[in-house]
Amino acid sequence: MKRSVSFILLDLAKLRAIKVDIEDNSAWVQAGATIGEVYYRIAEKSKTHGYPAGLCTSLGIGGHITGGAYGPMMRKYGLGADNVVDAQIVDASGRVLDRALMGEDLFWAIRGGGGGSFGIILAWKVKLVPVPSTVTVFTVPKTLETGATKVLNKWQHVAHKIDEDLFIRILITTVNSTKGKKTVQTAYQALFLGKTDRLLDVMNHSFPELGLTRKDCIEMSWIQSVIYIAGYPSNIKPEFLLQGKSLFPTVNFKAKSDFLRVPVPVTGLQGMWEKFLQNDSPMMIWNPYGGMMGKISESSIPFPHRKGVICKIQYLTAWTDGDKKTADKHINWIRGLYEYMGTFVSKFPREAYVNYRDLDLGMNKNANSNFLEASVWGKKYYKNNYDRLVLVKTEVDPDNFFWHEQSLPILPFKVGQDGKSLIH
Ligand SMILES: Cc1cc2nc3c(=O)[nH]c(=O)nc-3n(C[C@H](O)[C@H](O)[C@H](O)COP(=O)(O)OP(=O)(O)OC[C@H]3O[C@@H](n4cnc5c(N)ncnc54)[C@H](O)[C@@H]3O)c2cc1C
């Protein structure tokens, strides 16, 4: 007989108020607002303020910040979670707490310790960051026939060291080549916090192999760059962000993540292309680190992937029909690619991004959680911050009310105030 597990589904979509205070350099944002709405409301008040969170504008800010929230300004300013100064949360006893009331341990834990473990975030108070009134974007594609392997090889050596104003990510897909054959395409998509002239200087000095020209560069406001980086057509106006939705169709997908600390050798890239060409909708996104990401300590907030990271790799495969066979085919493929990449990516632990929850890494069982079992995925998501997160969880939710497949476990005992003795 199947055991039923009761659960609560909370719809926060109506908690959408956003209060931007330019003088205070901050904004209070309710959890149901999308990040696109947040960006719009900031830009509405000032052309020279922004917030460094995700690229996909339809993400809910409530859950997004709980895992870190990276985006195209992370090399300059860190993550969305690095730029949170206060929050409102409902705890397991139903109390509404702000930073002063929840205390610094819980405030630390909710900024990167993953959603659904500590309580319900009602609102975040975020710190705004300066953006220039003109930024520059570009997208330069390279296929296997036009030097994709050589350019990616170079990117791995420079993208995390280059000027902090520059974020160049790579979107890897397959396309039909001019010869009608399927090939791999690597699209270099960038945001530069400055104008074209300085961008060209930076690129000519550090990454001439991409062959960036003035023609490739488009100057615009920061809010228009949000639309560009999200992949929307250029005729889409910023007001679209207020609709709080994506322009892309809903699909089924499976995603996984890795962090790269040593460049993949050319032979490794060639093997990766072979795997890539075996799927009909493969995608990888390589996001560069370095800059501010390398300057913030691994324990500043629970998100630990900092110094020494070259980039995060996201693997994706999508399908539209509901057929189990189709799903199995895609999931098996992505697991195969992930297995192959194991040779090249971070190890002990093999790090993963908690906002790309991957249930392949393990799951809590039957509404219970176990410190050791959960440490298998917990160490991948949080590294050494896992232990402190479990202590905070045990303290603030001793009955494990906030439970899900990968919620943080509680200890079967409490650590005394001296930090050593155990209370059962
Ligand atoms: C298309 C797409 C693009 C993405 N792009 C980026 C990106 O650019 N950068 C990035 O960092 N991540 C990105 N992500 C990952 C994204 O950050 C996570 O999916 C994140 O969880 C989204 O938050 P949500 O509130 O919309 O999600 P939900 O699915 O609603 O929630 C995710 C988790 O957070 C919990 N949660 C949600 N709201 C709250 C709350 N108010 N209080 C406590 N817990 C809560 C939920 O219980 C759940 O465990 C992307 C994901 C997708 C699907």
Side-chain angles (χ1 to χ4, degrees), residues 37-310:
E37 290 170 84
V38 177
Y39 297 153
Y40 181 87
R41 292 298 178 205
I42 296 170
E44 189 183 42
K45 289 248 169 117
S46 161
K47 303 291 167 242
T48 53
H49 289 74
Y51 178 61
L55 304 107
C56 176
T57 59
S58 58
L59 302 176
I61 193 127
H64 183 48
I65 290 183
T66 62
Y70 77 85
M73 295 202 289
M74 63 191 270
R75 301 194 63 250
K76 178 86 173 180
Y77 298 117
L79 306 168
D82 293 320
N83 291 280
V84 166
V85 289
D86 205 338
Q88 272 187 342
I89 186 171
V90 182
D91 74 1
S93 320
R95 295 175 304 172
V96 179
L97 309 171
D98 65 5
R99 178 174 182 171
L101 287 172
M102 78 179 87
E104 287 303 302
D105 275 343
L106 181 54
F107 184 61
W108 172 83
I110 58 176
R111 289 171 295 152
S117 275
F118 297 103
I120 303 147
I121 306 290
L122 295 180
W124 297 105
K125 184 179 183 186
V126 301
K127 192 172 77 185
L128 308 183
V129 300
V131 295
S133 52
T134 304
V135 303
T136 309
V137 295
F138 68 78
T139 304
V140 174
K142 295 278 172 201
T143 61
L144 291 184
E145 291 71 24
T146 56
T149 311
K150 188 171 142 235
V151 178
L152 175 53
N153 188 38
K154 180 68 196 273
W155 179 93
Q156 299 184 93
H157 292 87
V158 297
H160 60 299
K161 295 184 188 150
I162 213 162
D163 193 304
E164 287 179 17
D165 286 331
L166 182 55
F167 171 90
I168 316 174
R169 68 170 179 163
I170 318 174
L171 303 158
I172 309 178
T173 50
T174 52
V175 291
N176 282 329
S177 75
T178 41
K179 291 178 191 147
K181 233 177 72 196
K182 200 156 84 154
T183 187
V184 175
Q185 175 174 276
T186 55
Y188 290 77
Q189 188 197 51
L191 170 69
F192 180 63
L193 297 172
K195 293 191 179 169
T196 305
D197 285 346
R198 191 160 70 84
L199 169 60
L200 287 171
D201 285 348
V202 171
M203 288 297 285
N204 287 336
H205 179 257
S206 304
F207 193 16
E209 293 78 2
L210 188 62
L212 185 74
T213 64
R214 189 172 289 276
K215 205 162 61 36
D216 300 316
C217 302
I218 316 168
E219 292 185 344
M220 55 181 64
S221 64
W222 172 71
I223 194 65
Q224 201 63 48
S225 80
V226 164
I227 306 257
Y228 179 91
I229 298 279
Y232 301 143
S234 58
N235 61 347
I236 295 290
K237 298 272 171 284
E239 285 66 31
F240 168 77
L241 299 173
L242 294 178
Q243 294 181 23
K245 59 181 187 193
S246 169
L247 263 185
F248 302 119
T250 307
V251 290
N252 304 303
F253 71 91
K254 167 80 187 152
K256 296 174 88 67
S257 62
D258 259 322
F259 286 85
L260 200 66
R261 290 179 175 273
V262 179
V264 180
V266 167
T267 48
L269 295 177
Q270 284 161 343
M272 192 173 82
W273 304 144
E274 271 174 38
K275 293 257 168 220
F276 217 66
L277 288 164
Q278 289 164 9
N279 189 266
D280 49 26
S281 61
M283 185 162 201
M284 272 197 283
I285 305 177
W286 292 36
N287 279 290
Y289 271 55
M292 181 55 90
M293 290 303 290
K295 291 178 199 155
I296 298 174
S297 91
E298 287 200 357
S299 59
S300 160
I301 61 168
F303 181 99
H305 320 287
R306 303 282 187 175
K307 196 171 172 192
V309 172
I310 294 175

